[in-house]
mmCIF file of all heavy atoms in Angstrom:
data_model
loop_
_atom_site.group_PDB
_atom_site.id
_atom_site.type_symbol
_atom_site.label_atom_id
_atom_site.label_comp_id
_atom_site.label_asym_id
_atom_site.label_seq_id
_atom_site.Cartn_x
_atom_site.Cartn_y
_atom_site.Cartn_z
ATOM 1 N N ASN K 1 -53.586 321.457 265.924
ATOM 2 C CA ASN K 1 -52.516 322.455 266.211
ATOM 3 C C ASN K 1 -51.057 321.716 266.263
ATOM 4 O O ASN K 1 -50.066 322.357 265.863
ATOM 5 C CB ASN K 1 -52.669 323.127 267.575
ATOM 6 C CG ASN K 1 -53.817 324.087 267.503
ATOM 7 O OD1 ASN K 1 -54.153 324.609 266.453
ATOM 8 N ND2 ASN K 1 -54.367 324.410 268.754
ATOM 9 N N GLY K 2 -51.049 320.413 266.470
ATOM 10 C CA GLY K 2 -49.813 319.759 266.361
ATOM 11 C C GLY K 2 -49.205 319.704 265.030
ATOM 12 O O GLY K 2 -47.996 319.531 264.722
ATOM 13 N N ARG K 3 -50.207 319.754 264.037
ATOM 14 C CA ARG K 3 -49.780 319.772 262.675
ATOM 15 C C ARG K 3 -49.932 321.057 261.830
ATOM 16 O O ARG K 3 -49.723 321.001 260.605
ATOM 17 C CB ARG K 3 -50.591 318.634 261.869
ATOM 18 C CG ARG K 3 -50.494 317.208 262.388
ATOM 19 C CD ARG K 3 -51.669 316.366 261.803
ATOM 20 N NE ARG K 3 -51.692 316.363 260.413
ATOM 21 C CZ ARG K 3 -52.710 315.895 259.658
ATOM 22 N NH1 ARG K 3 -53.644 315.155 260.414
ATOM 23 N NH2 ARG K 3 -52.792 315.939 258.330
ATOM 24 N N ASN K 4 -50.195 322.118 262.619
ATOM 25 C CA ASN K 4 -50.420 323.401 262.058
ATOM 26 C C ASN K 4 -51.353 323.397 260.873
ATOM 27 O O ASN K 4 -51.095 324.031 259.884
ATOM 28 C CB ASN K 4 -49.093 323.926 261.539
ATOM 29 C CG ASN K 4 -48.156 324.390 262.716
ATOM 30 O OD1 ASN K 4 -48.480 324.163 263.851
ATOM 31 N ND2 ASN K 4 -46.930 324.835 262.411
ATOM 32 N N THR K 5 -52.511 322.717 260.964
ATOM 33 C CA THR K 5 -53.365 322.452 259.999
ATOM 34 C C THR K 5 -54.851 322.787 260.430
ATOM 35 O O THR K 5 -55.161 322.324 261.546
ATOM 36 C CB THR K 5 -53.285 321.075 259.338
ATOM 37 O OG1 THR K 5 -51.953 320.939 258.924
ATOM 38 C CG2 THR K 5 -54.194 320.960 258.172
ATOM 39 N N VAL K 6 -55.674 323.486 259.593
ATOM 40 C CA VAL K 6 -56.961 323.559 259.807
ATOM 41 C C VAL K 6 -57.786 323.002 258.698
ATOM 42 O O VAL K 6 -57.303 322.951 257.614
ATOM 43 C CB VAL K 6 -57.378 325.124 259.949
ATOM 44 C CG1 VAL K 6 -57.092 325.928 258.767
ATOM 45 C CG2 VAL K 6 -58.802 325.223 260.358
ATOM 46 N N PHE K 7 -58.902 322.344 259.008
ATOM 47 C CA PHE K 7 -59.607 321.591 258.018
ATOM 48 C C PHE K 7 -61.038 322.245 257.997
ATOM 49 O O PHE K 7 -61.566 322.853 258.869
ATOM 50 C CB PHE K 7 -59.801 320.136 258.520
ATOM 51 C CG PHE K 7 -58.454 319.499 258.761
ATOM 52 C CD1 PHE K 7 -57.834 319.504 259.907
ATOM 53 C CD2 PHE K 7 -57.884 318.834 257.720
ATOM 54 C CE1 PHE K 7 -56.684 318.826 260.142
ATOM 55 C CE2 PHE K 7 -56.659 318.193 257.900
ATOM 56 C CZ PHE K 7 -56.106 318.295 259.116
ATOM 57 N N LEU K 8 -61.737 321.947 256.748
ATOM 58 C CA LEU K 8 -63.148 322.341 256.603
ATOM 59 C C LEU K 8 -63.792 321.054 255.946
ATOM 60 O O LEU K 8 -63.468 320.744 254.730
ATOM 61 C CB LEU K 8 -63.287 323.499 255.688
ATOM 62 C CG LEU K 8 -64.703 323.974 255.500
ATOM 63 C CD1 LEU K 8 -65.343 324.460 256.881
ATOM 64 C CD2 LEU K 8 -64.967 324.974 254.431
ATOM 65 N N GLN K 9 -64.522 320.312 256.767
ATOM 66 C CA GLN K 9 -65.313 319.114 256.200
ATOM 67 C C GLN K 9 -66.508 319.708 255.827
ATOM 68 O O GLN K 9 -67.417 320.300 256.471
ATOM 69 C CB GLN K 9 -65.497 318.273 257.439
ATOM 70 C CG GLN K 9 -66.468 316.952 257.062
ATOM 71 C CD GLN K 9 -65.647 316.068 256.078
ATOM 72 O OE1 GLN K 9 -64.551 315.823 256.242
ATOM 73 N NE2 GLN K 9 -66.400 315.616 255.018
ATOM 74 N N MET K 10 -66.867 319.543 254.443
ATOM 75 C CA MET K 10 -68.087 319.974 253.791
ATOM 76 C C MET K 10 -68.945 318.640 253.458
ATOM 77 O O MET K 10 -68.541 317.965 252.612
ATOM 78 C CB MET K 10 -67.596 320.779 252.530
ATOM 79 C CG MET K 10 -66.689 321.848 252.818
ATOM 80 S SD MET K 10 -66.403 322.959 251.486
ATOM 81 C CE MET K 10 -65.558 321.796 250.378
ATOM 82 N N ASN K 11 -70.110 318.627 254.008
ATOM 83 C CA ASN K 11 -71.088 317.624 253.612
ATOM 84 C C ASN K 11 -72.315 318.119 253.067
ATOM 85 O O ASN K 11 -72.627 319.293 253.015
ATOM 86 C CB ASN K 11 -71.428 316.915 254.991
ATOM 87 C CG ASN K 11 -70.240 316.358 255.742
ATOM 88 O OD1 ASN K 11 -69.231 315.694 255.142
ATOM 89 N ND2 ASN K 11 -70.196 316.459 257.032
ATOM 90 N N LYS K 12 -72.993 317.204 252.375
ATOM 91 C CA LYS K 12 -74.314 317.545 251.766
ATOM 92 C C LYS K 12 -74.070 318.859 250.777
ATOM 93 O O LYS K 12 -74.817 319.825 250.991
ATOM 94 C CB LYS K 12 -75.352 317.818 252.738
ATOM 95 C CG LYS K 12 -75.676 316.606 253.616
ATOM 96 C CD LYS K 12 -76.760 317.037 254.750
ATOM 97 C CE LYS K 12 -76.979 315.845 255.533
ATOM 98 N NZ LYS K 12 -77.963 316.120 256.639
ATOM 99 N N LEU K 13 -73.131 318.818 250.105
ATOM 100 C CA LEU K 13 -72.730 319.944 249.144
ATOM 101 C C LEU K 13 -73.795 320.327 248.202
ATOM 102 O O LEU K 13 -74.609 319.396 247.701
ATOM 103 C CB LEU K 13 -71.419 319.589 248.329
ATOM 104 C CG LEU K 13 -70.075 319.655 249.116
ATOM 105 C CD1 LEU K 13 -68.963 319.021 248.302
ATOM 106 C CD2 LEU K 13 -69.811 321.097 249.387
ATOM 107 N N LYS K 14 -73.933 321.516 247.916
ATOM 108 C CA LYS K 14 -74.976 322.106 247.069
ATOM 109 C C LYS K 14 -74.284 322.886 245.908
ATOM 110 O O LYS K 14 -73.185 323.342 246.056
ATOM 111 C CB LYS K 14 -75.831 323.070 247.726
ATOM 112 C CG LYS K 14 -76.552 322.427 248.997
ATOM 113 C CD LYS K 14 -77.405 323.474 249.765
ATOM 114 C CE LYS K 14 -78.051 322.891 250.919
ATOM 115 N NZ LYS K 14 -78.902 324.037 251.628
ATOM 116 N N PRO K 15 -74.839 322.978 244.777
ATOM 117 C CA PRO K 15 -74.385 323.746 243.669
ATOM 118 C C PRO K 15 -73.931 325.135 244.164
ATOM 119 O O PRO K 15 -72.928 325.716 243.592
ATOM 120 C CB PRO K 15 -75.384 323.789 242.631
ATOM 121 C CG PRO K 15 -76.144 322.535 242.906
ATOM 122 C CD PRO K 15 -76.107 322.315 244.297
ATOM 123 N N GLU K 16 -74.745 325.758 245.009
ATOM 124 C CA GLU K 16 -74.380 327.145 245.404
ATOM 125 C C GLU K 16 -73.205 327.181 246.322
ATOM 126 O O GLU K 16 -72.717 328.228 246.666
ATOM 127 C CB GLU K 16 -75.645 327.796 246.110
ATOM 128 C CG GLU K 16 -76.208 326.878 247.284
ATOM 129 C CD GLU K 16 -77.428 326.149 246.792
ATOM 130 O OE1 GLU K 16 -77.346 325.526 245.648
ATOM 131 O OE2 GLU K 16 -78.355 326.064 247.531
ATOM 132 N N ASP K 17 -72.544 326.055 246.769
ATOM 133 C CA ASP K 17 -71.235 326.128 247.397
ATOM 134 C C ASP K 17 -70.125 326.229 246.492
ATOM 135 O O ASP K 17 -68.939 326.219 246.921
ATOM 136 C CB ASP K 17 -71.094 324.732 248.267
ATOM 137 C CG ASP K 17 -72.120 324.626 249.270
ATOM 138 O OD1 ASP K 17 -72.432 325.581 249.998
ATOM 139 O OD2 ASP K 17 -72.628 323.402 249.504
ATOM 140 N N THR K 18 -70.409 326.174 245.227
ATOM 141 C CA THR K 18 -69.293 326.309 244.129
ATOM 142 C C THR K 18 -68.565 327.677 244.355
ATOM 143 O O THR K 18 -69.218 328.683 244.370
ATOM 144 C CB THR K 18 -69.844 326.267 242.806
ATOM 145 O OG1 THR K 18 -70.440 324.905 242.557
ATOM 146 C CG2 THR K 18 -68.733 326.557 241.714
ATOM 147 N N ALA K 19 -67.282 327.668 244.591
ATOM 148 C CA ALA K 19 -66.530 328.920 244.827
ATOM 149 C C ALA K 19 -64.997 328.499 244.951
ATOM 150 O O ALA K 19 -64.652 327.292 245.062
ATOM 151 C CB ALA K 19 -67.027 329.620 246.136
ATOM 152 N N VAL K 20 -64.209 329.431 245.096
ATOM 153 C CA VAL K 20 -62.809 329.266 245.497
ATOM 154 C C VAL K 20 -62.788 329.439 246.983
ATOM 155 O O VAL K 20 -63.336 330.465 247.474
ATOM 156 C CB VAL K 20 -61.924 330.350 244.902
ATOM 157 C CG1 VAL K 20 -60.372 330.131 245.354
ATOM 158 C CG2 VAL K 20 -61.891 330.073 243.393
ATOM 159 N N TYR K 21 -62.289 328.504 247.735
ATOM 160 C CA TYR K 21 -62.181 328.554 249.132
ATOM 161 C C TYR K 21 -60.813 328.929 249.613
ATOM 162 O O TYR K 21 -59.874 328.360 249.152
ATOM 163 C CB TYR K 21 -62.562 327.191 249.567
ATOM 164 C CG TYR K 21 -64.091 326.936 249.691
ATOM 165 C CD1 TYR K 21 -64.692 326.647 248.414
ATOM 166 C CD2 TYR K 21 -64.824 326.847 250.817
ATOM 167 C CE1 TYR K 21 -66.055 326.484 248.346
ATOM 168 C CE2 TYR K 21 -66.215 326.748 250.658
ATOM 169 C CZ TYR K 21 -66.783 326.521 249.485
ATOM 170 O OH TYR K 21 -68.221 326.259 249.443
ATOM 171 N N TYR K 22 -60.761 329.868 250.564
ATOM 172 C CA TYR K 22 -59.609 330.359 251.040
ATOM 173 C C TYR K 22 -59.597 330.185 252.630
ATOM 174 O O TYR K 22 -60.591 330.331 253.279
ATOM 175 C CB TYR K 22 -59.546 331.851 250.895
ATOM 176 C CG TYR K 22 -59.503 332.229 249.450
ATOM 177 C CD1 TYR K 22 -60.683 332.593 248.836
ATOM 178 C CD2 TYR K 22 -58.231 332.473 248.766
ATOM 179 C CE1 TYR K 22 -60.681 332.921 247.459
ATOM 180 C CE2 TYR K 22 -58.298 332.784 247.389
ATOM 181 C CZ TYR K 22 -59.471 333.089 246.737
ATOM 182 O OH TYR K 22 -59.481 333.449 245.486
ATOM 183 N N CYS K 23 -58.383 329.761 253.200
ATOM 184 C CA CYS K 23 -58.260 329.800 254.626
ATOM 185 C C CYS K 23 -57.474 331.134 254.969
ATOM 186 O O CYS K 23 -56.724 331.679 254.028
ATOM 187 C CB CYS K 23 -57.455 328.651 255.055
ATOM 188 S SG CYS K 23 -55.811 328.477 254.669
ATOM 189 N N ALA K 24 -57.636 331.605 256.175
ATOM 190 C CA ALA K 24 -57.011 332.834 256.532
ATOM 191 C C ALA K 24 -56.613 332.678 258.092
ATOM 192 O O ALA K 24 -57.384 332.083 258.821
ATOM 193 C CB ALA K 24 -57.959 333.917 256.206
ATOM 194 N N ARG K 25 -55.539 333.462 258.330
ATOM 195 C CA ARG K 25 -55.176 333.558 259.751
ATOM 196 C C ARG K 25 -55.530 334.913 260.368
ATOM 197 O O ARG K 25 -55.298 335.945 259.693
ATOM 198 C CB ARG K 25 -53.679 333.353 259.873
ATOM 199 C CG ARG K 25 -53.215 333.022 261.380
ATOM 200 C CD ARG K 25 -51.905 333.464 261.638
ATOM 201 N NE ARG K 25 -51.761 334.956 261.965
ATOM 202 C CZ ARG K 25 -50.702 335.621 262.183
ATOM 203 N NH1 ARG K 25 -49.493 334.944 262.200
ATOM 204 N NH2 ARG K 25 -50.802 336.897 262.483
#
């Protein structure tokens, strides 16, 4: 919150994770 930033750590990626990723408020 101090940096006004949200993160998504993605591990063990799979081909089905292929997509455009969006963040939203």
Side-chain angles (χ1 to χ4, degrees):
N1 287 336
R3 294 167 55 190
N4 286 4
T5 303
V6 62
F7 303 90
L8 184 68
Q9 178 68 41
M10 305 186 296
N11 301 320
K12 300 179 181 178
L13 283 164
K14 303 176 180 180
E16 50 263 46
D17 294 321
T18 295
V20 178
Y21 283 72
Y22 300 88
C23 70
R25 196 211 79 178

